[in-house]
Amino acid sequence: MSERLLIVGGTGFIGRNLALNAVKRGYSTTVISLNGPVAEQKLDGVEYLQADIINTKQLQTELKNTKFEYVVNLSGYIDHCSFLEGGQNIIDAHFVGCLLYTSPSPRDKRQ
C-alpha cells in the first residue's frame, strides 16, 4: 500500500506540480481545496475533493476519516481583515486542523 499524501489547497501552480510529482513517485495523492480544478488542470491518479477547511463538518464529511502520512498545506484562504473577529479559527484550521487527518508514520520515533 502506498503512502497517502493530502495536499490542502492543491489546485494552484505549486500544488498541481507537487501532486504531479507525488503521483509519479507512487504516493496515493488527494487534493482538497475550496474550488475544484478546471478540467484541463486535473491530473490522472489524483483524487480531488472540494471543501472549506474552516468548516470542520464539511471537511470530515469529505475526508471520511481517511488518514494520511503526509499533509502539505498550500491553501491561501486567510482573510487578514477579520483576524480580530475569529481569525484564530482560521489559523487553527490551517495549521492545527490538518493534524486530525494524519496518522503516525512507522518511522516516527515519537511513538
Side-chain angles (χ1 to χ4, degrees), residues 31-100:
V31 167
I32 191 162
S33 62
L34 187 59
N35 302 304
V38 293
E40 60 270 7
Q41 294 291 318
K42 281 190 173 182
L43 299 169
D44 290 335
V46 174
E47 177 183 14
Y48 290 95
L49 304 173
Q50 229 176 307
D52 185 343
I53 66 168
I54 64 171
N55 182 334
T56 306
K57 288 182 182 178
Q58 182 185 26
L59 192 59
Q60 289 173 338
T61 299
E62 285 298 322
L63 294 176
K64 299 176 185 91
N65 296 318
T66 304
K67 297 291 183 181
F68 298 89
E69 282 77 29
Y70 305 99
V71 175
V72 177
N73 188 344
L74 300 172
S75 60
Y77 178 77
I78 296 180
D79 183 356
H80 296 285
C81 296
S82 66
F83 182 78
L84 295 176
E85 297 145 9
Q88 188 61 49
N89 294 337
I90 295 170
I91 297 297
D92 289 346
H94 277 262
F95 300 106
V96 178
C98 292
L99 293 176
L100 299 174

